[in-house]
Amino acid sequence: DGGITQSPKYLFRKEGQNVTLSCEQNLNHDAMYWYRQDPGQGLRLIYYSQIVNDFQKGDIAEGYSVSREKKESFPLTVTSAQKNPTAFYLCATRFGEHEQYFGPGTRLTVT
Amino acid sequence: RKEVEQDPGPFNVPEGATVAFNCTYSNSASQSFFWYRQDCRKEPKLLMSVYSSGNEDGRFTAQLNRASQYISLLIRDSKLSDSATYLCVVNNRAGTALIFGKGTTLSVSS
């Protein structure tokens, strides 16, 4: 079954804890992206990676970190430095200059 | 000027209506344009790409005006199932990622 998987669908954490969100793809796409969406808001780009072992900051990278050790995987760590981590996190992939495909997302709640 | 701006909505229309959404973008060098659809609490999904010559897919028509940096989406004969948020999307200045507008919400009622 081809596509993008994000797990878990819902994640709850206490303030001050780091948490890592998973994103895996078997589409063989080079580029992968992390977005954040807040209620009633658009998607904001956190980090992206165009090739393995390389990644770039997006518009709101502060308080987040990523790694890209394998083509299939692009995990996002939400650190305790992120002021407002509660949000809907979306991972996406892209082939060349074509459209992006999204995973189902992870809803993170930090209390 | 924001990178991608859309009509705020919401648009509330009856079934069968024709509705148009507009979007402006700031990067004159943008080469990639799309409309995505996002249902409540779901991930965005591609509705259609937007080409310079304009393109149509069934009841949906997308237009691009590069001179005015303007994109539009026309939905004819609206269905209840068209109720969703429609996102206007263009590539960023470096061409390395896509930038999403905040979306326009459409509600179609019977």
Side-chain angles (χ1 to χ4, degrees):
Chain A
D1 198 26
I4 305 165
T5 55
Q6 291 186 244
S7 59
K9 190 171 181 180
Y10 298 96
L11 190 53
F12 299 87
R13 281 292 183 271
K14 295 288 187 188
E15 201 172 312
Q17 293 179 333
N18 289 358
V19 59
T20 297
L21 310 185
S22 164
C23 179
E24 303 281 329
Q25 58 112 350
N26 62 4
L27 299 170
N28 201 34
H29 290 172
D30 286 314
M32 296 187 74
Y33 306 83
W34 275 104
Y35 291 87
R36 166 188 175 136
Q37 187 175 37
D38 295 280
Q41 300 296 315
L43 279 68
R44 291 185 289 167
L45 183 63
I46 305 172
Y47 266 100
Y48 62 99
S49 168
Q50 297 205 284
I51 55 171
V52 175
N53 292 322
D54 186 50
F55 48 82
Q56 308 295 328
K57 290 182 180 180
D59 300 318
I60 55 163
E62 187 174 347
Y64 298 98
S65 66
V66 293
S67 63
R68 187 83 186 278
E69 297 175 3
K70 301 186 300 182
K71 189 174 186 178
E72 300 80 17
S73 179
F74 190 40
L76 173 75
T77 297
V78 185
T79 74
S80 56
Q82 168 48 232
K83 297 275 190 282
N84 298 295
T86 295
F88 185 35
Y89 289 87
L90 288 155
C91 176
T93 70
R94 191 180 188 198
F95 175 68
E97 294 186 0
H98 299 281
E99 66 271 18
Q100 286 181 189
Y101 297 87
F102 285 87
T106 292
R107 292 195 179 273
L108 173 65
T109 301
V110 176
T111 58
Chain B
R1 187 177 190 181
K2 291 183 181 175
E3 288 188 276
V4 182
E5 285 197 85
Q6 295 186 242
D7 286 348
F11 284 63
N12 299 302
V13 304
E15 272 186 294
T18 295
V19 61
F21 302 142
N22 304 316
C23 169
T24 56
Y25 60 94
S26 62
N27 179 16
S28 59
S30 289
Q31 296 294 325
S32 300
F33 308 92
F34 307 94
W35 283 101
Y36 276 70
R37 169 191 170 129
Q38 186 174 23
D39 292 296
C40 189
R41 300 180 68 81
K42 297 284 192 181
E43 74 273 24
K45 293 189 177 176
L46 179 70
L47 179 66
M48 59 197 303
S49 302
V50 186
Y51 304 117
S52 295
S53 54
N55 48 301
E56 188 173 309
D57 182 2
R59 297 181 293 109
F60 299 85
T61 301
Q63 297 279 351
L64 169 65
N65 184 323
R66 285 187 184 272
S68 301
Q69 294 175 215
Y70 171 96
I71 306 164
S72 66
L73 176 68
L74 184 76
I75 305 175
R76 291 181 298 278
D77 189 22
S78 298
K79 311 288 184 194
L80 294 174
S81 57
D82 293 334
S83 297
T85 297
Y86 291 84
L87 307 172
C88 176
V89 184
V90 303
N91 61 284
N92 65 355
R93 291 190 181 276
T96 51
L98 296 181
I99 304 299
F100 287 71
K102 289 188 176 181
T104 301
T105 299
L106 172 65
S107 178
V108 181
S109 56
S110 58

